[in-house]
């Protein structure tokens, strides 16, 4: 099953393993996917003397990972091919204390403090690009806390379960039978949900403040650029971010980043991280800023989990957050979706809506047109915002309908699933109900500034007001990128604004403004 070149890579990856690992496979002898699973795990095991497999008879198709014959509390009910193959490899490496994705010490303490027992189940699709991040995060939590168990379930193989639970979006995470998360999720977000659901033991340990010359909040193009420019000035720099890459990771194709004809959001995010790691920049990922204070020259950031960061200069580059469409929250995972690649297959042969006529919305419509019977695009403005080449492609498809000047006023459902969408024609004022089966939200971004509104001035849209040098109304506080009033929310503009904010902060430092 695995190609020779891939096996050679696995031998290199597994060479440093310290412990011995066993795939304990439990299979129904008549399961149609039996041989496929055995062949995959047999191939993986052949790449290291430290890995083997053992076969037992069972009712379905599953295997768990053992470390030195002891349970790691990680189970796979499915065949981890596709995007989930990395989840299998990382389960082994992380169990051995290896892998670049292992969280830092403070996050590990928070995970260890979770009250158990906690039994987690994540339903995935092997074609989903968001699912591995969630699976890998929860596997790590199981490794770091003896009271946590986690199993990945392939929805395609376990279709009866998916139908019984009325799952219409992946990944879907259940904690002891209760749905706690649907869709893309970051490590910090998932940890917060578990803390809220189960609570944490009070360790009684006070976390010391961390002091820097410059703190950058946000790890997208603006934040990364600001950090690199600040580090190149010889300053002590840290990034505090929910994820490196920010909103960029949600972008499929990027064709307007000058000098790079084509890249993807995921590739660009990886490149940002690689570039950051070339400098002595401290990365505090999976953190969400809860509040900011300033006492004289010092600015203090408090993040979830109790950590505090202090610096005379802070650059806010938190980008934008999704703005809820009315009724959206009630039906997330029940007809409201955000990723056409992950959740599109659930709507095969059905009528769906795409809200938003920008590049993301029109790309989604084009992708969904190959799966769904009909796709209706609703755009708030009087014309589409997408690139002309995408507009022409969408308009050429017979099952794509485009409606401009359409304001979404309500997501309609029967309490179990979406049944339609209500819109208002912004020209005539007339309202109309469109019966349909699913809604893909591809718009609704507002400045992610809520943690800073009590400190710095913002406009009615929540954007942080800045001058031509990215300075806010508070000396020592700067803003860059989509969170600010800078016009045109583009990756290349955010990068430039991040650099400008860093240079302004350095200039103020030289002039004594920050002393």
């Amino acid at each position: 099953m695995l190609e020779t070149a891939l096996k050679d890579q696995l031998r290199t990856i597994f060479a440093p393993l310290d412990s011995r690992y066993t795939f304990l496979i439990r299979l129904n002898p008549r399961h149609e996917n039996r041989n496929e699973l055995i062949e995959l795990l047999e191939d993986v095991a052949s790449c290291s003397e430290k890995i083997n497999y053992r076969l037992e008879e069972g009712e379905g198709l599953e295997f768990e990972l053992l470390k030195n014959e002891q349970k790691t509390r990680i189970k796979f009910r499915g065949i981890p091919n596709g995007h989930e193959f990395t989840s299998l490899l990382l389960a082994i490496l992380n169990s051995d204390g290896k892998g670049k994705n292992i969280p830092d010490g403070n996050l590990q303490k928070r995970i260890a403090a979770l009250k158990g027992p906690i039994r987690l189940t994540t339903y995935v699709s092997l074609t989903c690009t968001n699912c591995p991040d969630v699976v890998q995060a929860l596997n790590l939590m199981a490794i770091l806390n003896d009271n946590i168990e986690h199993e990945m379930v392939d929805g395609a193989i376990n279709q009866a379960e998916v139908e019984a639970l009325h799952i219409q979006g992946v990944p879907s995470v259940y904690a002891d039978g209760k749905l706690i998360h649907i869709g893309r999720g970051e490590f910090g977000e998932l940890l917060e949900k578990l803390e809220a659901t189960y609570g944490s033991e009070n360790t009684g340990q006070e976390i010391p403040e961390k002091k820097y010359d410059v703190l950058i909040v946000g790890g997208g193009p603006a934040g990364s650029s600001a950090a690199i420019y600040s580090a190149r000035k010889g300053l002590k720099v840290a990034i505090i971010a929910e994820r490196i890459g920010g909103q960029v990771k949600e972008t499929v194709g990027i064709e307007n980043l000058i000098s790079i004809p084509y890249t993807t959001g995921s590739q660009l995010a990886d490149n940002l991280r690689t570039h950051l790691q070339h400098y002595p920049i401290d990365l505090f990922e999976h953190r969400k800023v809860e509040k900011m204070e300033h006492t004289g020259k010092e600015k203090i950031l408090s993040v979830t989990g109790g950590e505090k960061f202090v610096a005379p200069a802070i650059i806010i580059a938190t980008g934008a957050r999704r703005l809820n469409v009315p009724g959206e929250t009630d039906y997330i995972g029940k007809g409201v979706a955000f990723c056409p690649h992950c959740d599109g297959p659930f709507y095969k042969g059905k009528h769906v809506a795409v809200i938003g006529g920008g590049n993301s919305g029109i790309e989604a419509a084009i992708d969904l047109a190959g799966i769904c019977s009909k796709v209706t695009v609703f755009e708030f403005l009087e014309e589409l915002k997408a690139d002309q080449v995408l507009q022409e492609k969408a308009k050429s498809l017979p099952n794509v309908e485009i409606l401009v000047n359409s304001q979404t006023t309500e997501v309609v459902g029967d309490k179990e699933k979406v049944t339609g969408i209500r819109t208002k024609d912004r020209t005539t004022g007339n309202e109309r109900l469109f019966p349909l089966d699913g809604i893909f939200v591809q718009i609704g971004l507002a400045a992610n500034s809520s943690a800073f509104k009590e400190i710095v001035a913002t406009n009615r849209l929540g954007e942080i007001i800045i001058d031509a040098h990215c300075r806010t109304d508070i000396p020592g506080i700067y803003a860059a990128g989509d969170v600010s009033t800078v016009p045109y929310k583009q990756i290349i503009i955010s990068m430039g604004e991040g650099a400008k904010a860093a240079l302004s902060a350095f200039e103020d430092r030289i002039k004594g403004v920050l002393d």
Side-chain angles (χ1 to χ4, degrees), residues 119-190:
R119 188 174 184 276
L120 302 171
T121 304
T122 303
Y123 291 87
V124 307
S125 165
L126 298 184
T127 60
C128 169
T129 56
N130 293 325
C131 291
D133 289 341
V134 172
V135 171
Q136 291 159 25
L138 297 179
N139 280 347
L140 260 171
M141 292 185 199
I143 291 168
L144 296 169
N145 187 319
D146 293 343
N147 294 313
I148 299 177
E149 298 178 12
H150 178 237
E151 63 176 358
M152 181 219 80
V153 181
D154 180 359
I157 289 179
N158 298 278
Q159 192 64 42
E161 282 183 50
V162 170
E163 293 174 358
L165 293 169
H166 305 291
I167 293 174
Q168 293 185 6
V170 290
S172 289
V173 181
Y174 288 78
D176 290 298
K178 178 184 177 183
L179 181 65
I180 64 166
H181 181 84
I182 299 176
R184 181 184 61 78
E186 296 301 314
F187 193 101
E189 177 188 4
L190 295 165

Side-chain angles (χ1 to χ4, degrees), residues 122 166 220 222 262 302 306 312 334 411 473 512:
T122 303
H166 305 291
Y262 180 83
S302 298
K334 299 177 183 178
V411 172
D473 59 329

Side-chain angles (χ1 to χ4, degrees), residues 144-307:
L144 296 169
N145 187 319
D146 293 343
N147 294 313
I148 299 177
E149 298 178 12
H150 178 237
E151 63 176 358
M152 181 219 80
V153 181
D154 180 359
I157 289 179
N158 298 278
Q159 192 64 42
E161 282 183 50
V162 170
E163 293 174 358
L165 293 169
H166 305 291
I167 293 174
Q168 293 185 6
V170 290
S172 289
V173 181
Y174 288 78
D176 290 298
K178 178 184 177 183
L179 181 65
I180 64 166
H181 181 84
I182 299 176
R184 181 184 61 78
E186 296 301 314
F187 193 101
E189 177 188 4
L190 295 165
L191 178 54
E192 285 181 41
K193 288 184 176 181
L194 291 179
E195 288 172 332
T197 303
Y198 292 94
S200 298
E201 302 286 352
N202 186 354
T203 61
Q205 294 181 339
E206 187 174 341
I207 304 173
E209 292 180 343
K210 299 178 179 67
K211 296 191 175 184
Y212 290 88
D213 296 324
V214 182
L215 287 171
I216 290 96
V217 189
S224 298
S225 176
I228 289 168
Y229 265 72
S230 296
R232 287 176 62 85
K233 295 296 185 182
L235 302 178
K236 186 180 181 184
V237 183
I239 285 182
I240 302 166
E242 294 186 43
R243 57 175 171 165
I244 299 302
Q247 298 160 227
V248 158
K249 294 192 75 171
E250 298 180 34
T251 305
V252 178
I254 300 170
E255 299 178 348
N256 56 358
L257 189 58
I258 308 306
S259 85
I260 303 174
Y262 180 83
T263 186
T264 66
S266 180
Q267 288 171 337
L268 180 55
D270 289 342
N271 290 341
L272 290 176
R273 183 187 296 276
T274 299
H275 200 167
L276 288 167
Q277 290 171 340
H278 277 73
Y279 296 90
I281 299 168
D282 290 343
L283 301 182
F284 294 94
E285 205 172 357
H286 312 306
R287 265 73 166 187
K288 183 167 71 176
V289 173
E290 293 184 329
K291 67 176 182 177
M292 178 170 68
E293 307 166 86
H294 71 106
T295 56
K297 302 293 184 180
E298 283 196 333
K299 286 80 180 175
I300 304 169
L301 294 176
S302 298
V303 306
T304 304
E307 291 173 280

Side-chain angles (χ1 to χ4, degrees), residues 453-472:
K453 284 185 176 180
E454 300 298 319
I455 303 294
V456 295
T458 59
N459 64 14
R460 64 180 182 83
L461 300 175
E463 297 171 329
I464 296 174
I465 298 171
I466 59 171
D467 65 11
H469 300 272
C470 295
R471 295 183 177 100
T472 70

